[in-house]
PDB file of all heavy atoms in Angstrom:
ATOM      1  N   ILE P  13      -6.784  -0.045   9.958  1.00  0.00           N
ATOM      2  CA  ILE P  13      -5.531  -0.726  10.252  1.00  0.00           C
ATOM      3  C   ILE P  13      -5.245  -0.729  11.749  1.00  0.00           C
ATOM      4  O   ILE P  13      -4.646  -1.671  12.280  1.00  0.00           O
ATOM      5  CB  ILE P  13      -4.386  -0.089   9.441  1.00  0.00           C
ATOM      6  CG1 ILE P  13      -4.632  -0.330   7.943  1.00  0.00           C
ATOM      7  CG2 ILE P  13      -3.033  -0.639   9.854  1.00  0.00           C
ATOM      8  CD1 ILE P  13      -3.710   0.445   7.023  1.00  0.00           C
ATOM      9  N   ASP P  28      -8.207  -6.415  -2.262  1.00  0.00           N
ATOM     10  CA  ASP P  28      -8.185  -7.500  -3.241  1.00  0.00           C
ATOM     11  C   ASP P  28      -9.572  -8.040  -3.566  1.00  0.00           C
ATOM     12  O   ASP P  28      -9.710  -8.883  -4.462  1.00  0.00           O
ATOM     13  CB  ASP P  28      -7.319  -8.649  -2.713  1.00  0.00           C
ATOM     14  CG  ASP P  28      -5.855  -8.267  -2.569  1.00  0.00           C
ATOM     15  OD1 ASP P  28      -5.416  -7.298  -3.231  1.00  0.00           O
ATOM     16  OD2 ASP P  28      -5.155  -8.928  -1.765  1.00  0.00           O
ATOM     17  N   SER P  41     -27.259   2.261  -2.078  1.00  0.00           N
ATOM     18  CA  SER P  41     -26.522   3.534  -2.012  1.00  0.00           C
ATOM     19  C   SER P  41     -25.572   3.589  -0.819  1.00  0.00           C
ATOM     20  O   SER P  41     -24.361   3.773  -1.000  1.00  0.00           O
ATOM     21  CB  SER P  41     -27.498   4.709  -1.960  1.00  0.00           C
ATOM     22  OG  SER P  41     -28.111   4.929  -3.213  1.00  0.00           O
ATOM     23  N   VAL P  52     -12.765  -1.364  -0.580  1.00  0.00           N
ATOM     24  CA  VAL P  52     -13.002  -2.573  -1.372  1.00  0.00           C
ATOM     25  C   VAL P  52     -12.536  -2.284  -2.795  1.00  0.00           C
ATOM     26  O   VAL P  52     -13.004  -1.340  -3.435  1.00  0.00           O
ATOM     27  CB  VAL P  52     -14.487  -2.979  -1.335  1.00  0.00           C
ATOM     28  CG1 VAL P  52     -14.753  -4.112  -2.318  1.00  0.00           C
ATOM     29  CG2 VAL P  52     -14.877  -3.410   0.077  1.00  0.00           C
ATOM     30  N   SER P  58     -25.093  -3.266 -10.379  1.00  0.00           N
ATOM     31  CA  SER P  58     -26.121  -3.608 -11.360  1.00  0.00           C
ATOM     32  C   SER P  58     -27.435  -2.941 -10.984  1.00  0.00           C
ATOM     33  O   SER P  58     -27.944  -3.138  -9.880  1.00  0.00           O
ATOM     34  CB  SER P  58     -26.317  -5.130 -11.419  1.00  0.00           C
ATOM     35  OG  SER P  58     -27.475  -5.459 -12.158  1.00  0.00           O
ATOM     36  N   ASP P 108     -29.429 -11.238 -16.367  1.00  0.00           N
ATOM     37  CA  ASP P 108     -30.136 -12.500 -16.580  1.00  0.00           C
ATOM     38  C   ASP P 108     -29.394 -13.608 -15.836  1.00  0.00           C
ATOM     39  O   ASP P 108     -28.329 -13.396 -15.245  1.00  0.00           O
ATOM     40  CB  ASP P 108     -30.284 -12.802 -18.073  1.00  0.00           C
ATOM     41  CG  ASP P 108     -28.956 -12.981 -18.797  1.00  0.00           C
ATOM     42  OD1 ASP P 108     -27.951 -13.342 -18.152  1.00  0.00           O
ATOM     43  OD2 ASP P 108     -28.926 -12.769 -20.022  1.00  0.00           O
ATOM     44  N   THR P 120     -16.387 -11.825  -4.499  1.00  0.00           N
ATOM     45  CA  THR P 120     -16.052 -12.311  -3.165  1.00  0.00           C
ATOM     46  C   THR P 120     -17.311 -12.420  -2.316  1.00  0.00           C
ATOM     47  O   THR P 120     -17.481 -13.363  -1.541  1.00  0.00           O
ATOM     48  CB  THR P 120     -15.055 -11.359  -2.485  1.00  0.00           C
ATOM     49  OG1 THR P 120     -13.982 -11.056  -3.380  1.00  0.00           O
ATOM     50  CG2 THR P 120     -14.491 -11.969  -1.215  1.00  0.00           C
ATOM     51  N   PRO P 216     -20.390 -12.799  11.377  1.00  0.00           N
ATOM     52  CA  PRO P 216     -21.477 -12.380  10.482  1.00  0.00           C
ATOM     53  C   PRO P 216     -22.825 -12.955  10.911  1.00  0.00           C
ATOM     54  O   PRO P 216     -22.891 -13.867  11.737  1.00  0.00           O
ATOM     55  CB  PRO P 216     -21.043 -12.930   9.115  1.00  0.00           C
ATOM     56  CG  PRO P 216     -19.584 -13.228   9.248  1.00  0.00           C
ATOM     57  CD  PRO P 216     -19.374 -13.601  10.689  1.00  0.00           C
ATOM     58  N   GLN P 222     -32.014 -10.430  11.685  1.00  0.00           N
ATOM     59  CA  GLN P 222     -32.268  -9.309  12.579  1.00  0.00           C
ATOM     60  C   GLN P 222     -33.373  -8.431  12.008  1.00  0.00           C
ATOM     61  O   GLN P 222     -33.350  -8.053  10.829  1.00  0.00           O
ATOM     62  CB  GLN P 222     -30.995  -8.499  12.803  1.00  0.00           C
ATOM     63  CG  GLN P 222     -29.988  -9.247  13.667  1.00  0.00           C
ATOM     64  CD  GLN P 222     -29.050  -8.326  14.425  1.00  0.00           C
ATOM     65  OE1 GLN P 222     -28.617  -7.309  13.917  1.00  0.00           O
ATOM     66  NE2 GLN P 222     -28.741  -8.697  15.659  1.00  0.00           N
ATOM     67  N   ARG P 238     -31.098 -24.242   8.507  1.00  0.00           N
ATOM     68  CA  ARG P 238     -31.185 -24.715   7.132  1.00  0.00           C
ATOM     69  C   ARG P 238     -32.322 -25.719   7.011  1.00  0.00           C
ATOM     70  O   ARG P 238     -32.477 -26.611   7.870  1.00  0.00           O
ATOM     71  CB  ARG P 238     -29.858 -25.355   6.718  1.00  0.00           C
ATOM     72  CG  ARG P 238     -29.819 -25.748   5.247  1.00  0.00           C
ATOM     73  CD  ARG P 238     -28.432 -26.145   4.813  1.00  0.00           C
ATOM     74  NE  ARG P 238     -28.411 -26.405   3.381  1.00  0.00           N
ATOM     75  CZ  ARG P 238     -27.332 -26.711   2.696  1.00  0.00           C
ATOM     76  NH1 ARG P 238     -26.163 -26.779   3.323  1.00  0.00           N
ATOM     77  NH2 ARG P 238     -27.385 -26.938   1.403  1.00  0.00           N
TER      78      ARG P 238
END
Side-chain angles (χ1 to χ4, degrees):
I13 295 170
D28 295 338
S41 287
V52 172
S58 168
D108 62 25
T120 312
Q222 289 206 322
R238 186 170 185 177

